[in-house]
């Protein structure tokens, strides 16, 4: 189900964030991943277990989130860990507004 809301209603300036989360069927999964990373940075395998989603699904969405620079990855030994990116931190209020809109649906 594609999510769509009026940008003026929730006052979103970062349209790329809005589009990444609300403009596709994978938006809810991306929000779940971002929420988990905001709680505690982790690797894809840990996310897969926490969210009870397939590892390939997690890595697919992580790649999309990272390509938009809302999350960063850092290799430590043989594992890659994911952290909130500067762009997400800068736009955290808008992210929260989008989350509220989804929660109210």
């Amino acid at each position: 189900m594609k999510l769509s809301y009026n940008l003026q209603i929730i006052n979103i300036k970062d349209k790329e964030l809005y589009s990444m989360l609300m403009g596709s069927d994978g938006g809810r999964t991306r929000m779940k991943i971002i929420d988990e990373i905001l709680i505690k940075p982790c690797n894809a395998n840990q996310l897969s277990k926490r969210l009870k989603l397939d590892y390939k699904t997690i890595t697919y969405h992580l790649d999309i989130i990272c390509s938009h620079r809302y999350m960063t990855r850092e290799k430590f030994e043989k594992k890659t860990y994911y952290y909130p990116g500067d762009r997400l931190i800068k736009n955290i209020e808008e992210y929260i507004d989008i989350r509220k809109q989804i929660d109210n649906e």
Side-chain angles (χ1 to χ4, degrees):
M1 174 177 76
K2 190 172 181 178
L3 303 172
S4 179
Y5 298 98
N6 186 335
L7 290 176
Q8 282 73 34
I9 292 172
I10 55 176
N11 196 24
I12 299 298
K13 294 177 185 137
D14 187 344
K15 290 172 184 50
E16 191 172 349
L17 176 63
Y18 177 87
S19 178
M20 183 187 72
L21 298 174
M22 309 279 286
S24 73
D25 292 338
R28 287 183 187 271
T29 301
R30 291 181 201 128
M31 280 188 248
K32 289 177 186 177
I33 291 170
I34 290 170
D35 289 345
E36 286 296 317
I37 296 297
L38 286 168
I39 293 168
K40 182 179 180 184
C42 55
N43 63 44
N45 190 45
Q46 292 167 325
L47 276 171
S48 177
K49 289 177 182 176
R50 282 189 209 165
L51 296 174
K52 296 177 175 63
L53 293 170
D54 182 69
Y55 177 83
K56 288 182 181 183
T57 299
I58 295 292
T59 57
Y60 170 80
H61 289 289
L62 284 169
D63 287 344
I64 291 171
I65 297 166
C66 287
S67 73
H68 288 280
R69 299 182 332 268
Y70 292 107
M71 197 172 292
T72 61
R73 43 182 136 207
E74 188 175 315
K75 256 193 166 279
F76 181 73
E77 295 179 2
K78 293 183 180 185
K79 295 182 180 177
T80 301
Y81 289 87
Y82 295 86
Y83 301 88
D86 291 339
R87 192 170 181 196
L88 178 62
I89 301 301
K90 177 184 170 191
N91 294 294
I92 197 68
E93 294 299 322
E94 290 187 22
Y95 176 74
I96 292 167
D97 288 344
I98 293 169
R99 290 288 300 138
K100 285 179 188 174
Q101 187 69 34
I102 294 296
D103 291 341
N104 290 332
E105 107 178 341

